[in-house]
Coordinates of all heavy atoms in Angstrom, one line a residue:
I335 N 59.5 -36.3 39.4 CA 60.3 -35.3 40.0 C 61.0 -34.4 38.8 O 61.4 -35.1 37.9 CB 61.3 -35.9 40.9 CG1 62.2 -34.8 41.6 CG2 62.2 -36.8 40.3 CD1 63.1 -35.3 42.7
T336 N 60.9 -33.1 38.9 CA 61.6 -32.3 38.0 C 62.6 -31.4 38.7 O 62.4 -30.8 39.7 CB 60.5 -31.3 37.4 OG1 59.5 -32.2 36.8 CG2 61.2 -30.4 36.3
W337 N 63.8 -31.3 38.1 CA 64.9 -30.6 38.7 C 65.7 -30.1 37.6 O 66.4 -30.7 36.9 CB 65.8 -31.5 39.6 CG 66.7 -30.7 40.6 CD1 66.9 -29.3 40.6 CD2 67.6 -31.3 41.6 NE1 67.8 -29.0 41.5 CE2 68.2 -30.2 42.2 CE3 67.8 -32.6 42.1 CZ2 69.1 -30.4 43.2 CZ3 68.7 -32.7 43.1 CH2 69.4 -31.7 43.7
N338 N 65.8 -28.7 37.5 CA 66.6 -28.0 36.5 C 67.9 -27.7 37.1 O 68.2 -26.7 37.7 CB 65.8 -26.7 36.0 CG 66.5 -26.1 34.9 OD1 67.6 -26.4 34.4 ND2 65.9 -25.0 34.3
I339 N 68.8 -28.7 37.0 CA 70.2 -28.6 37.6 C 70.9 -27.4 36.9 O 71.7 -26.8 37.6 CB 70.8 -29.9 37.5 CG1 70.0 -31.1 38.1 CG2 72.3 -29.8 38.0 CD1 70.7 -32.4 38.0
T340 N 70.8 -27.1 35.7 CA 71.6 -26.1 35.1 C 71.4 -24.7 35.6 O 72.0 -23.8 35.3 CB 71.5 -26.1 33.6 OG1 70.1 -26.0 33.1 CG2 71.9 -27.4 33.0
S341 N 70.1 -24.6 36.2 CA 69.7 -23.3 36.6 C 70.2 -22.9 38.2 O 69.9 -21.8 38.7 CB 68.1 -23.1 36.7 OG 67.6 -24.0 37.6
L342 N 70.9 -23.9 38.7 CA 71.4 -23.6 40.1 C 72.2 -22.4 40.2 O 71.9 -21.5 41.1 CB 72.1 -24.9 40.7 CG 71.4 -26.1 40.9 CD1 72.2 -27.3 41.2 CD2 70.3 -25.9 41.9
H343 N 73.1 -22.2 39.4 CA 74.0 -20.9 39.5 C 73.3 -19.7 39.0 O 73.5 -18.7 39.8 CB 75.2 -21.2 38.5 CG 76.1 -20.1 38.6 ND1 76.9 -19.6 39.6 CD2 76.4 -19.1 37.6 CE1 77.7 -18.6 39.3 NE2 77.4 -18.3 38.1
T344 N 72.4 -19.8 38.1 CA 71.7 -18.6 37.6 C 70.7 -18.1 38.8 O 70.5 -16.9 39.0 CB 71.0 -18.8 36.4 OG1 71.9 -19.3 35.4 CG2 70.2 -17.6 35.9
T345 N 69.8 -19.0 39.2 CA 68.9 -18.7 40.3 C 69.6 -18.2 41.6 O 69.1 -17.3 42.3 CB 68.1 -19.9 40.7 OG1 68.9 -21.0 41.1 CG2 67.2 -20.3 39.6
R346 N 70.8 -18.7 41.9 CA 71.5 -18.2 43.0 C 71.9 -16.7 42.9 O 71.8 -15.9 43.8 CB 72.7 -19.1 43.4 CG 73.5 -18.6 44.6 CD 74.8 -19.5 44.8 NE 75.7 -19.4 43.6 CZ 76.6 -18.4 43.5 NH1 76.7 -17.3 44.4 NH2 77.4 -18.3 42.5
L347 N 72.5 -16.4 41.7 CA 72.8 -15.0 41.4 C 71.6 -14.1 41.4 O 71.7 -13.0 41.9 CB 73.5 -15.0 40.0 CG 74.9 -15.6 39.9 CD1 75.5 -15.6 38.5 CD2 75.9 -15.0 40.9
K348 N 70.5 -14.6 40.8 CA 69.4 -13.7 40.7 C 68.8 -13.5 42.1 O 68.4 -12.4 42.5 CB 68.2 -14.5 39.9 CG 67.0 -13.6 39.7 CD 67.2 -12.4 39.0 CE 65.9 -11.7 38.8 NZ 66.2 -10.3 38.1
S349 N 68.9 -14.6 43.0 CA 68.3 -14.4 44.4 C 69.2 -13.3 45.1 O 68.7 -12.5 45.9 CB 68.2 -15.7 45.1 OG 69.5 -16.2 45.2
E350 N 70.6 -13.4 44.9 CA 71.5 -12.5 45.6 C 71.2 -11.0 45.1 O 71.2 -10.1 45.9 CB 72.9 -12.9 45.3 CG 73.4 -14.2 45.9 CD 73.3 -14.0 47.5 OE1 73.6 -12.9 48.0 OE2 73.1 -15.0 48.2
Q351 N 70.8 -10.9 43.9 CA 70.5 -9.5 43.3 C 69.3 -9.0 44.0 O 69.2 -7.8 44.4 CB 70.3 -9.7 41.8 CG 69.8 -8.4 41.2 CD 69.1 -8.5 39.9 OE1 69.4 -9.6 39.2 NE2 68.6 -7.5 39.4
L352 N 68.3 -9.9 44.2 CA 67.0 -9.4 44.8 C 67.2 -9.1 46.3 O 66.7 -8.1 46.8 CB 66.0 -10.5 44.8 CG 65.5 -10.7 43.3 CD1 64.6 -12.0 43.3 CD2 64.7 -9.5 42.8
F353 N 68.1 -9.8 46.9 CA 68.5 -9.5 48.4 C 69.2 -8.2 48.5 O 68.9 -7.4 49.4 CB 69.3 -10.7 49.0 CG 68.6 -11.9 49.2 CD1 69.3 -13.2 49.0 CD2 67.3 -11.9 49.5 CE1 68.6 -14.3 49.3 CE2 66.6 -13.1 49.8 CZ 67.2 -14.3 49.6
K354 N 70.0 -7.9 47.4 CA 70.7 -6.6 47.5 C 69.7 -5.5 47.3 O 69.8 -4.3 47.9 CB 71.8 -6.5 46.4 CG 73.0 -7.5 46.7 CD 73.8 -6.9 47.9 CE 74.9 -7.9 48.2 NZ 75.7 -7.4 49.5
E355 N 68.7 -5.7 46.4 CA 67.7 -4.7 46.2 C 67.0 -4.4 47.4 O 66.5 -3.3 47.8 CB 66.7 -5.2 45.1 CG 67.4 -5.3 43.8 CD 67.6 -4.0 42.9 OE1 67.1 -2.9 43.6 OE2 68.0 -3.9 41.9
A356 N 66.6 -5.5 48.2 CA 65.9 -5.4 49.5 C 66.7 -4.6 50.5 O 66.2 -3.7 51.2 CB 65.5 -6.7 50.1
E357 N 68.1 -4.9 50.5 CA 69.0 -4.1 51.4 C 69.0 -2.6 51.1 O 69.0 -1.7 51.9 CB 70.4 -4.8 51.4 CG 71.3 -4.1 52.3 CD 72.7 -4.7 52.3 OE1 72.9 -5.7 51.6 OE2 73.5 -4.2 53.0
S358 N 69.0 -2.4 49.7 CA 69.0 -1.0 49.3 C 67.8 -0.2 49.7 O 67.8 1.0 50.2 CB 69.2 -1.0 47.7 OG 69.2 0.4 47.2
A359 N 66.6 -0.9 49.6 CA 65.4 -0.3 49.9 C 65.3 0.1 51.4 O 64.8 1.0 51.8 CB 64.1 -1.0 49.4
K360 N 65.8 -0.9 52.2 CA 65.8 -0.8 53.7 C 66.6 0.4 54.0 O 66.4 1.2 54.9 CB 66.3 -2.0 54.3 CG 66.2 -2.1 55.8 CD 66.6 -3.4 56.4 CE 65.6 -4.5 55.9 NZ 65.9 -5.8 56.6
L361 N 67.9 0.6 53.4 CA 68.8 1.6 53.7 C 68.2 3.0 53.2 O 68.4 4.0 53.9 CB 70.2 1.4 53.0 CG 71.1 0.3 53.6 CD1 72.3 0.0 52.8 CD2 71.4 0.6 55.0
L362 N 67.6 2.9 52.1 CA 66.9 4.1 51.7 C 65.8 4.6 52.6 O 65.5 5.9 52.8 CB 66.3 3.9 50.3 CG 65.7 5.2 49.5 CD1 66.9 6.1 49.2 CD2 65.1 4.7 48.1
K363 N 65.0 3.6 53.2 CA 64.0 4.0 54.2 C 64.7 4.7 55.4 O 64.2 5.7 55.9 CB 63.4 2.8 54.7 CG 62.4 3.0 55.9 CD 61.8 1.8 56.3 CE 61.0 2.1 57.6 NZ 60.4 0.9 58.2
T364 N 65.9 4.2 55.9 CA 66.6 4.8 57.0 C 67.0 6.2 56.7 O 66.8 7.2 57.5 CB 67.8 3.9 57.4 OG1 67.4 2.6 57.6 CG2 68.5 4.6 58.6
Q365 N 67.6 6.4 55.4 CA 68.0 7.7 54.9 C 66.8 8.7 54.9 O 66.9 9.8 55.4 CB 68.6 7.6 53.6 CG 68.9 9.0 52.9 CD 69.4 8.7 51.5 OE1 69.7 7.7 51.0 NE2 69.4 10.0 50.8
Y366 N 65.7 8.2 54.4 CA 64.5 9.0 54.3 C 64.1 9.5 55.6 O 63.7 10.6 55.8 CB 63.4 8.4 53.5 CG 63.4 8.6 52.0 CD1 64.6 8.6 51.3 CD2 62.2 9.0 51.3 CE1 64.6 8.7 49.9 CE2 62.3 9.2 49.9 CZ 63.4 9.1 49.3 OH 63.6 9.3 48.0
K367 N 64.0 8.5 56.6 CA 63.5 8.7 57.8 C 64.3 9.8 58.6 O 63.8 10.7 59.3 CB 63.4 7.4 58.7 CG 62.7 7.6 60.0 CD 62.4 6.4 60.7 CE 61.7 6.5 62.1 NZ 61.5 5.3 62.7
Q368 N 65.6 9.7 58.4 CA 66.5 10.6 59.1 C 66.3 12.0 58.5 O 66.2 13.0 59.2 CB 68.0 10.2 59.1 CG 68.4 8.9 59.8 CD 69.7 8.5 59.6 OE1 70.5 9.0 58.7 NE2 70.2 7.5 60.3
A369 N 66.3 12.1 57.2 CA 66.1 13.4 56.6 C 64.7 14.0 57.0 O 64.6 15.3 57.3 CB 66.2 13.3 55.0
M370 N 63.7 13.1 57.0 CA 62.4 13.7 57.3 C 62.3 14.2 58.8 O 61.7 15.2 59.1 CB 61.3 12.7 57.0 CG 61.2 12.4 55.6 SD 60.1 10.9 55.2 CE 58.5 11.4 55.7
Q371 N 62.9 13.4 59.6 CA 63.0 13.8 61.1 C 63.7 15.2 61.3 O 63.2 16.0 62.0 CB 63.6 12.8 61.9 CG 63.6 13.1 63.4 CD 62.2 13.1 63.9 OE1 61.4 12.2 63.8 NE2 61.9 14.2 64.7
A372 N 64.8 15.3 60.5 CA 65.5 16.7 60.6 C 64.7 17.8 60.0 O 64.6 18.8 60.6 CB 66.8 16.5 59.8
D373 N 64.0 17.5 58.9 CA 63.1 18.5 58.3 C 61.9 18.9 59.2 O 61.6 19.9 59.3 CB 62.6 18.0 57.0 CG 63.7 18.0 55.9 OD1 64.7 18.6 56.1 OD2 63.5 17.4 54.9

Side-chain angles (χ1 to χ4, degrees):
I335 181 170
T336 304
W337 194 357
N338 189 350
I339 299 177
T340 59
S341 67
L342 290 175
H343 180 66
T344 304
T345 53
R346 182 181 64 82
L347 293 178
K348 184 63 177 178
S349 63
E350 290 297 328
Q351 175 194 347
L352 292 170
F353 288 146
K354 290 296 182 182
E355 294 284 357
E357 184 180 357
S358 175
K360 187 176 296 184
L361 293 173
L362 188 61
K363 175 189 174 182
T364 303
Q365 175 191 342
Y366 270 48
K367 186 172 183 179
Q368 291 178 353
M370 292 169 66
Q371 184 61 54
D373 289 346

